């Protein structure tokens, strides 16, 4: 009887071991004084009733500084520099520079003074579930995209577009000799 019990426990441990070894608790890690940059290019075409109103390319340069860290979140100061050009080419022309301050928790949810600004324009992504995530595991969380229609259409209105972001943890990879 005792031998069979140990065999069952050993078998269950053997089945659970791969999940325990490869699961990850995803979270943002903030440190006071951290600084980083984000650079992105966006191609945008705006249509109304299948008629193109305009097509532009945007070059976004964002300087980010973590100003204060708490046990479960970080205060973030960001400067957004935005340049644009028409899709048919040419050089980027300076559009605007804006400052935003917000708080982001360890799982990716934004809060703070963020309600009074349109930046960051995409919020709450990526967002991570509580606890460990195993390869192949999927989750869904809401996000939000915000646009000020005044700069595009001359309308004094901010539009908030909710969406669902779908995630799958595919596991670890090795790239350029790093895991």
């Amino acid at each position: 009887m005792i031998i069979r019990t140990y065999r069952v426990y050993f078998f269950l441990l053997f089945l659970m071991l791969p999940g325990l070894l490869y699961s990850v608790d995803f979270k943002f890690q903030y440190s006071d004084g951290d600084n980083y940059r984000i650079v992105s290019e966006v191609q945008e075409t705006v249509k109304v009733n299948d008629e193109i109103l305009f097509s532009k390319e945007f070059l976004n340069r964002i300087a980010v500084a973590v100003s204060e860290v708490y046990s479960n979140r970080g205060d973030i100061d960001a400067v957004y520099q935005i340049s644009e050009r028409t899709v048919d080419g040419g050089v980027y022309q300076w559009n605007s520079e804006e400052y935003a301050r917000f708080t982001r928790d360890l799982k990716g949810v934004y809060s703070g003074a963020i309600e009074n600004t349109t930046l960051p324009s995409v919020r709450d992504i990526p967002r991570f579930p509580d606890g460990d995530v195993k390869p192949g595991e999927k989750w869904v969380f809401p996000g939000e995209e915000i646009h000020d229609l005044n700069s595009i259409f001359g309308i004094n209105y901010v539009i908030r577009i909710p969406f669902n972001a779908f995630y799958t943890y595919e596991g670890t990879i090795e790239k350029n000799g790093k895991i």
Side-chain angles (χ1 to χ4, degrees), residues 103-114:
T103 300
R104 192 172 198 187
D105 72 16
L106 299 180
K107 293 300 180 175
V109 178
Y110 288 76
S111 63
I114 200 162

PDB file of all heavy atoms in Angstrom, residues 103-114:
ATOM      1  N   THR A 103       0.456  56.738 -13.576  1.00  0.00           N
ATOM      2  CA  THR A 103       0.892  55.632 -12.736  1.00  0.00           C
ATOM      3  C   THR A 103       0.521  54.339 -13.439  1.00  0.00           C
ATOM      4  O   THR A 103      -0.524  54.252 -14.067  1.00  0.00           O
ATOM      5  CB  THR A 103       0.204  55.718 -11.354  1.00  0.00           C
ATOM      6  OG1 THR A 103       0.569  56.959 -10.755  1.00  0.00           O
ATOM      7  CG2 THR A 103       0.630  54.581 -10.450  1.00  0.00           C
ATOM      8  N   ARG A 104       1.404  53.358 -13.336  1.00  0.00           N
ATOM      9  CA  ARG A 104       1.132  52.044 -13.914  1.00  0.00           C
ATOM     10  C   ARG A 104       1.465  50.994 -12.866  1.00  0.00           C
ATOM     11  O   ARG A 104       2.534  51.039 -12.266  1.00  0.00           O
ATOM     12  CB  ARG A 104       1.970  51.828 -15.164  1.00  0.00           C
ATOM     13  CG  ARG A 104       1.538  50.626 -15.971  1.00  0.00           C
ATOM     14  CD  ARG A 104       2.260  50.572 -17.290  1.00  0.00           C
ATOM     15  NE  ARG A 104       1.549  49.689 -18.189  1.00  0.00           N
ATOM     16  CZ  ARG A 104       1.992  49.328 -19.368  1.00  0.00           C
ATOM     17  NH1 ARG A 104       3.145  49.788 -19.806  1.00  0.00           N
ATOM     18  NH2 ARG A 104       1.298  48.530 -20.130  1.00  0.00           N
ATOM     19  N   ASP A 105       0.536  50.065 -12.657  1.00  0.00           N
ATOM     20  CA  ASP A 105       0.814  49.045 -11.656  1.00  0.00           C
ATOM     21  C   ASP A 105       1.658  47.918 -12.244  1.00  0.00           C
ATOM     22  O   ASP A 105       1.981  47.927 -13.436  1.00  0.00           O
ATOM     23  CB  ASP A 105      -0.475  48.544 -10.994  1.00  0.00           C
ATOM     24  CG  ASP A 105      -1.354  47.671 -11.874  1.00  0.00           C
ATOM     25  OD1 ASP A 105      -0.890  47.162 -12.915  1.00  0.00           O
ATOM     26  OD2 ASP A 105      -2.525  47.483 -11.514  1.00  0.00           O
ATOM     27  N   LEU A 106       2.025  46.973 -11.411  1.00  0.00           N
ATOM     28  CA  LEU A 106       2.930  45.903 -11.830  1.00  0.00           C
ATOM     29  C   LEU A 106       2.337  44.994 -12.901  1.00  0.00           C
ATOM     30  O   LEU A 106       3.067  44.337 -13.629  1.00  0.00           O
ATOM     31  CB  LEU A 106       3.344  45.064 -10.616  1.00  0.00           C
ATOM     32  CG  LEU A 106       4.095  45.815  -9.527  1.00  0.00           C
ATOM     33  CD1 LEU A 106       4.441  44.873  -8.368  1.00  0.00           C
ATOM     34  CD2 LEU A 106       5.344  46.469 -10.071  1.00  0.00           C
ATOM     35  N   LYS A 107       1.023  44.970 -13.010  1.00  0.00           N
ATOM     36  CA  LYS A 107       0.373  44.111 -14.006  1.00  0.00           C
ATOM     37  C   LYS A 107       0.022  44.854 -15.290  1.00  0.00           C
ATOM     38  O   LYS A 107      -0.433  44.262 -16.244  1.00  0.00           O
ATOM     39  CB  LYS A 107      -0.884  43.463 -13.410  1.00  0.00           C
ATOM     40  CG  LYS A 107      -0.555  42.474 -12.298  1.00  0.00           C
ATOM     41  CD  LYS A 107       0.344  41.349 -12.814  1.00  0.00           C
ATOM     42  CE  LYS A 107       0.680  40.346 -11.743  1.00  0.00           C
ATOM     43  NZ  LYS A 107       1.439  39.214 -12.272  1.00  0.00           N
ATOM     44  N   GLY A 108       0.227  46.207 -15.315  1.00  0.00           N
ATOM     45  CA  GLY A 108       0.068  46.954 -16.554  1.00  0.00           C
ATOM     46  C   GLY A 108      -1.107  47.902 -16.620  1.00  0.00           C
ATOM     47  O   GLY A 108      -1.348  48.512 -17.660  1.00  0.00           O
ATOM     48  N   VAL A 109      -1.859  48.079 -15.538  1.00  0.00           N
ATOM     49  CA  VAL A 109      -3.033  48.944 -15.549  1.00  0.00           C
ATOM     50  C   VAL A 109      -2.614  50.385 -15.237  1.00  0.00           C
ATOM     51  O   VAL A 109      -1.911  50.636 -14.263  1.00  0.00           O
ATOM     52  CB  VAL A 109      -4.083  48.461 -14.527  1.00  0.00           C
ATOM     53  CG1 VAL A 109      -5.294  49.392 -14.502  1.00  0.00           C
ATOM     54  CG2 VAL A 109      -4.516  47.040 -14.860  1.00  0.00           C
ATOM     55  N   TYR A 110      -3.050  51.325 -16.071  1.00  0.00           N
ATOM     56  CA  TYR A 110      -2.749  52.741 -15.910  1.00  0.00           C
ATOM     57  C   TYR A 110      -3.742  53.391 -14.951  1.00  0.00           C
ATOM     58  O   TYR A 110      -4.909  52.999 -14.891  1.00  0.00           O
ATOM     59  CB  TYR A 110      -2.865  53.476 -17.250  1.00  0.00           C
ATOM     60  CG  TYR A 110      -1.774  53.178 -18.241  1.00  0.00           C
ATOM     61  CD1 TYR A 110      -1.743  51.983 -18.950  1.00  0.00           C
ATOM     62  CD2 TYR A 110      -0.781  54.109 -18.484  1.00  0.00           C
ATOM     63  CE1 TYR A 110      -0.742  51.724 -19.875  1.00  0.00           C
ATOM     64  CE2 TYR A 110       0.218  53.863 -19.414  1.00  0.00           C
ATOM     65  CZ  TYR A 110       0.224  52.666 -20.100  1.00  0.00           C
ATOM     66  OH  TYR A 110       1.219  52.420 -21.016  1.00  0.00           O
ATOM     67  N   SER A 111      -3.274  54.454 -14.253  1.00  0.00           N
ATOM     68  CA  SER A 111      -4.154  55.242 -13.392  1.00  0.00           C
ATOM     69  C   SER A 111      -3.489  56.594 -13.152  1.00  0.00           C
ATOM     70  O   SER A 111      -2.469  56.907 -13.758  1.00  0.00           O
ATOM     71  CB  SER A 111      -4.417  54.520 -12.059  1.00  0.00           C
ATOM     72  OG  SER A 111      -3.209  54.369 -11.327  1.00  0.00           O
ATOM     73  N   GLY A 112      -4.068  57.394 -12.258  1.00  0.00           N
ATOM     74  CA  GLY A 112      -3.492  58.697 -11.925  1.00  0.00           C
ATOM     75  C   GLY A 112      -4.098  59.803 -12.760  1.00  0.00           C
ATOM     76  O   GLY A 112      -5.266  59.746 -13.134  1.00  0.00           O
ATOM     77  N   ALA A 113      -3.286  60.797 -13.105  1.00  0.00           N
ATOM     78  CA  ALA A 113      -3.740  61.980 -13.840  1.00  0.00           C
ATOM     79  C   ALA A 113      -4.065  61.667 -15.286  1.00  0.00           C
ATOM     80  O   ALA A 113      -4.334  62.554 -16.078  1.00  0.00           O
ATOM     81  CB  ALA A 113      -2.679  63.069 -13.770  1.00  0.00           C
ATOM     82  N   ILE A 114      -4.076  60.435 -15.642  1.00  0.00           N
ATOM     83  CA  ILE A 114      -4.268  59.993 -17.025  1.00  0.00           C
ATOM     84  C   ILE A 114      -5.636  60.371 -17.595  1.00  0.00           C
ATOM     85  O   ILE A 114      -5.793  60.502 -18.797  1.00  0.00           O
ATOM     86  CB  ILE A 114      -4.027  58.474 -17.104  1.00  0.00           C
ATOM     87  CG1 ILE A 114      -3.742  58.068 -18.517  1.00  0.00           C
ATOM     88  CG2 ILE A 114      -5.168  57.694 -16.534  1.00  0.00           C
ATOM     89  CD1 ILE A 114      -3.093  56.729 -18.614  1.00  0.00           C
TER      90      ILE A 114
END
